[in-house]
Amino acid sequence: MRNFIIRRLLLAVPMLLGASALIFFVFALTPGDFIDGNINLTPERAAELKSLYGLDRPVLDRYLDWLGRLLTGDLGYSMQYQTPVGTLLNQYVWNSFLLAGTAMLLYWTLSLLAGVTAAVKPYSWYDRLVTLAVFAAMSFPVFFLCLLLIKWFAVDLRWLPVGGMISTGSEATGWPLVVEIAGHMVLPVLVLTALQAGSLTRYIRASMLESLSMDFVRTARAKGLKERTVVLKHALRNALLPIITLLGFELPGLFSGAIVTEKIFNWPGAGHIQIDTLAARDYPVLMGFTMALAALTILGNLIADIAYAAADPRIRLRRR
């Protein structure tokens, strides 16, 4: 297992180099940049700024310079915010992690409970009710669901705040601050949970139905094991194997944030600044953030492989 992890880490090096080249040249060859988008600049001032930021240099030279700084942990400099990209992402990405991590914990718990129980009682009234709720949640556009919940719970009932992370002018600290942030998280977490739980529940239900129809489950029942033991210890463990792949891709999703949801609820996360920097064509931020997501995607796949080995001993034996 250790050798497998080492091989995967070594393989990640050319993958990251390829991702860096693709990311840089896609943005570098896109017409226009932050300076071109500023109509208040004179041609002389625009040329001066491009020379200052190195935007007038050949593309290949700019890539090698960006890659060299990237290897030292320097993600670049934001022209819009006038701050290093690493500092900017560190300021906002943890807010996205808090929001997405809470939603992930909720929708994985709900999906496992709903998917497993629906598979144990297929085509029952409960299964049909879960299927109806799943498709209803998946059919709502994200912006419509966000606005609908804001109208119901924030405007009409006045139970929850409209958006933001804390109330305007708030000076709360300690537990009052935690409670205040939690209140602002309710609506965006509810939206993310509703949107993600639907498809995940369908995956888990389908995987459990396939697992419950296998011979080893019938053998376990024939041995006289309790139904709860058969479902949880035998069928569920086997059904989780294809689901682990989805879990591996959740890691970059935690840090990328939900762009539309964060924007509508004015949540100060990475998804929120993505829209602002894209509109301003602040490409250093977009390149640094996309590169960080590429690294997290590779890490997520490695974690998924390790989880596979933990769930299925046959995989560990094959990799030794």
Side-chain angles (χ1 to χ4, degrees), residues 110-119 121 124-138 197-202 205:
L110 292 175
S111 298
L112 280 171
L113 291 174
V116 170
T117 51
K121 301 177 180 179
S124 62
W125 65 268
Y126 175 80
D127 185 25
R128 291 186 174 91
L129 186 62
V130 169
T131 302
L132 177 63
V134 162
F135 281 110
M138 293 171 62
S199 58
L200 185 58
T201 300
R202 298 299 297 172
R205 178 186 178 277

Side-chain angles (χ1 to χ4, degrees), residues 104 107-108 200 240 242-252 254 300-301 303-304 307:
M104 177 184 170
Y107 69 72
W108 269 89
L200 185 58
L240 286 178
I243 309 299
I244 289 175
T245 304
L246 298 177
L247 185 60
F249 286 104
E250 295 285 347
L251 182 60
L254 288 177
N301 283 321
I303 293 175

Side-chain angles (χ1 to χ4, degrees), residues 273-293:
I273 64 169
Q274 271 185 291
I275 296 181
D276 293 340
T277 53
L278 182 60
R281 292 188 285 189
D282 191 0
Y283 295 144
V285 177
L286 296 173
M287 288 190 300
F289 189 69
T290 308
M291 192 64 210
L293 291 184

Side-chain angles (χ1 to χ4, degrees), residues 136 140 143-162 186-187 190-191 194 265:
F140 277 103
F143 67 90
F144 178 78
L145 185 58
C146 291
L147 296 176
L148 185 64
L149 293 182
I150 289 175
K151 183 182 184 304
W152 283 352
F153 295 103
V155 177
D156 295 340
L157 298 175
R158 299 178 182 271
W159 288 353
L160 296 168
V162 174
V186 171
L187 289 182
L190 185 59
V191 170
F265 286 102

